[in-house]
Amino acid sequence: MGRSIRSAMVVGAGLSGLAASVALARQGVDVVLAEAGEEVGGCCSTVSEQGFTFNNGAVYVAVPSLLRSGFARLGMDVEREIELAAIARPHATHLGDGTVVRLAGVEDSLVEGDAARTAMLRDGLDALRRRWAPIYRTLVQEVLPFEPALARTLGRLWRYLPALSGRADRLIAGHFPDAGLQAAVASTLLYTGMGPERLPATQIIGLVALLEEGFHLPRGGMGAISQALYRAAQRHGVRILCGRPVERITVAGGVARGVALAGGERIQADCVIAACSGFDVVHRLLPADAVPWTLARRARRAPLSHRAISIQLGGAVAEGPGAFIVNHVPLMREQGRLHVMPPDAPRWLAYTCPTQVLPDLAPPGRSILELYAPVSGIASADEWTPDMTRSAVDRYLAAMRQRVPGLEIDAVRVLDPRDFVRQRHLYEGALYGVAPGASPDRFFPHRTPLRGLYLAGQTTFPGYGVPSAILSGIQAAEAAEAATGGAGPARI
């Protein structure tokens, strides 16, 4: 491979694939990027239908400092490429007794109409922030920007290990003695698809990110981020092939040598970065006799995240929801119920309203509401049927009409588990690939035991959303560049 590599094949034009392509091309590597879909961006893209701009997956940006860091490593400036709008009212939780709890920064958080509980809420958030802010800053500045390594992680975080242990529900209960406040804080973890009693305490980092940096939306929708990376890839001469799915990673002499595309075209390269599901790499893209046993073991053991039906509505509402994220939840110990498909219209549900922040995403006087209905009771995405989708959508639309005054629906956009497999190329329709609560050792490695093959994307990087996906691609590219012809495979 000489100094490192002269040519590279990248599979998948989501955030990680685009970032890997830019990182390599800036170093003079000849890069070809193949994407099965007709557009780039993957799960961080947008689509326009009936005048509404809908997101295809990712719904907001957390940890903007990490996003800036990732862009800077690609020679890009976030402020020049995209405009991030701060979400002024990020989170409203409605409890069963009618209480409404609003979460934002510590001093902006409150319990509507209740000064005493507001003081309790702010005291708990302040204590949580003071305890976890040093951990958050260490992660953002000294751990996540670098290739995952146990020695480095322990070296930076060893003094915080007692705080990092335990369960999320116990951590929350220790800071908020009021059951209603516990429920509101726990509702910030609904995105994981698990109840707080099943999550490690480290998942509270999402709330700390809100307290430290706030949540943001890019003008024009989440696809503005992938489009910025796409423009950079074009500037650096990356050859981008959309609508060209990869059928096989070619292997010769124990080395990944390129890919075979649908239709028969073969592309040779010094290395392959698979910025798609690591599960797909093991089960579909690699020849069976070329799959390293350690990689196959990782695919068997890595826990999949939850499945869901994405339901996006465009229309009119009598009054806005008053927050970007709106949750209607029971007490903390019962919140696992939100992750099980109910037999009738759900009493509890959570949804987001991007037009509360960016009205331009919809026609004048219209709004966008989006929710993820849980999918449960199946072992494989193939077991899900269109009838199940129709029934679930009907139930959740009924619940939304009860919760959102004066809701008039102009457009409905639905993706079910089978759609997530076919259109978003998510293995088994699992929204995050590996479950968010999984320990770092359950994720796939950037460096694989098969020479010339590197992995990037949602199954390789335990992190928080958009910035971590970009960093995953950068780190896979750096791993590929660091390899030499005489280097042996990494251990996993």
Side-chain angles (χ1 to χ4, degrees):
M1 293 187 182
R3 66 166 182 88
S4 178
I5 50 176
R6 293 181 297 274
S7 62
M9 184 73 212
V10 179
V11 182
L15 289 176
S16 57
L18 288 165
S21 298
V22 174
L24 291 169
R26 291 183 71 231
Q27 301 303 316
V29 177
D30 182 16
V31 181
V32 179
L33 172 59
E35 163 59 38
E38 297 298 329
E39 304 287 343
V40 304
C43 291
C44 189
S45 59
T46 53
V47 63
S48 294
E49 293 185 8
Q50 297 180 245
F52 297 92
T53 300
F54 295 113
N55 290 317
N56 289 320
V59 296
Y60 63 89
V61 174
V63 200
S65 61
L66 202 57
L67 180 65
R68 294 186 184 95
S69 174
F71 266 51
R73 286 168 67 176
L74 297 173
M76 302 170 65
D77 184 334
V78 167
E79 278 69 27
R80 288 185 180 181
E81 296 286 351
I82 57 179
E83 182 182 353
L84 286 178
I87 301 176
R89 296 185 294 277
H91 211 283
T93 298
H94 298 251
L95 305 179
D97 62 1
T99 299
V100 179
V101 182
R102 296 188 178 276
L103 296 176
V106 172
E107 295 304 316
D108 295 320
S109 296
L110 57 89
V111 181
E112 287 188 356
D114 193 327
R117 294 176 83 191
T118 292
M120 292 174 58
L121 173 64
R122 292 176 179 176
D123 287 346
L125 291 174
D126 185 57
L128 187 70
R129 179 180 181 179
R130 283 187 282 106
R131 181 181 184 186
W132 281 81
I135 303 173
Y136 176 82
R137 288 192 289 269
T138 301
L139 282 169
V140 170
Q141 298 170 10
E142 302 180 39
V143 177
L144 295 178
F146 303 94
E147 185 173 0
L150 181 60
R152 180 183 185 87
T153 301
L154 291 177
R156 299 303 189 275
L157 295 174
W158 65 269
R159 64 176 67 90
Y160 305 120
L161 290 180
L164 295 170
S165 62
R167 295 187 336 212
D169 61 335
R170 293 175 179 172
L171 173 65
I172 293 169
H175 283 79
F176 304 92
D178 181 283
L181 300 185
Q182 292 173 13
V185 172
S187 75
T188 64
L189 304 176
L190 290 175
Y191 76 94
T192 65
M194 298 182 186
E197 74 283 355
R198 298 179 56 199
L199 291 170
T202 51
Q203 288 297 308
I204 206 67
I205 284 294
L207 174 59
V208 180
L210 171 62
L211 300 176
E212 287 287 292
E213 300 192 58
F215 293 165
H216 299 74
L217 285 179
R219 299 283 178 188
M222 294 300 293
I225 299 173
S226 54
Q227 286 300 310
L229 294 172
Y230 174 62
R231 292 192 297 271
Q234 290 181 310
R235 287 196 300 270
H236 290 290
V238 176
R239 181 185 169 202
I240 302 172
L241 308 176
C242 287
R244 302 294 302 278
V246 171
E247 289 193 340
R248 184 72 65 186
I249 296 172
T250 56
V251 178
V255 180
R257 299 290 189 182
V259 301
L261 301 178
E265 181 181 359
R266 291 177 174 265
I267 299 176
Q268 292 185 331
D270 292 333
C271 73
V272 175
I273 295 181
C276 54
S277 167
F279 298 100
D280 271 330
V281 171
V282 169
H283 297 306
R284 184 176 63 84
L285 295 181
L286 279 178
D289 59 359
V291 177
W293 71 269
T294 49
L295 206 59
R297 181 181 61 183
R298 187 65 59 95
R300 289 194 302 271
R301 294 183 175 181
L304 284 173
S305 84
H306 59 300
R307 302 180 183 92
I309 302 170
S310 169
I311 305 173
Q312 296 173 304
L313 310 177
V317 297
E319 58 183 85
F324 170 66
I325 299 172
V326 180
N327 297 324
H328 294 263
V329 298
L331 296 179
M332 178 171 67
R333 64 177 179 271
E334 301 173 16
Q335 287 185 13
R337 293 161 58 185
L338 277 87
H339 308 303
V340 178
M341 178 66 72
D344 46 23
R347 179 183 178 189
W348 313 109
L349 78 164
Y351 61 92
T352 59
C353 180
T355 46
Q356 191 267 339
V357 185
L358 301 175
D360 292 347
L361 297 178
R366 275 6 203 191
S367 298
I368 294 174
L369 304 175
E370 49 193 9
L371 63 96
Y372 284 86
V375 164
S376 56
I378 60 171
S380 170
D382 289 337
E383 297 177 19
W384 195 256
T385 68
D387 285 342
M388 293 177 180
T389 297
R390 283 189 288 269
S391 176
V393 171
D394 288 345
R395 295 197 297 274
Y396 275 84
L397 289 183
M400 288 294 288
R401 288 190 171 95
Q402 292 176 359
R403 295 295 189 186
V404 182
L407 176 61
E408 298 177 5
I409 299 174
D410 300 331
V412 180
R413 185 168 181 261
V414 175
L415 292 177
D416 67 17
R418 293 169 67 92
D419 296 322
F420 280 118
V421 172
R422 294 190 297 261
Q423 299 178 33
R424 298 271 77 83
H425 312 292
L426 301 183
Y427 180 76
E428 281 294 345
L431 296 184
Y432 299 142
V434 178
S439 59
D441 64 306
R442 295 288 187 166
F443 286 75
F444 287 76
H446 291 308
R447 304 166 186 258
T448 78
L450 179 62
R451 284 182 55 198
L453 176 64
Y454 305 87
L455 304 181
Q458 64 171 181
T459 53
T460 64
F461 202 81
Y464 196 71
V466 167
S468 63
I470 292 172
L471 287 169
S472 174
I474 294 171
Q475 292 168 7
E478 291 175 346
E481 285 191 283
T484 64
R491 295 179 182 271
I492 62 172

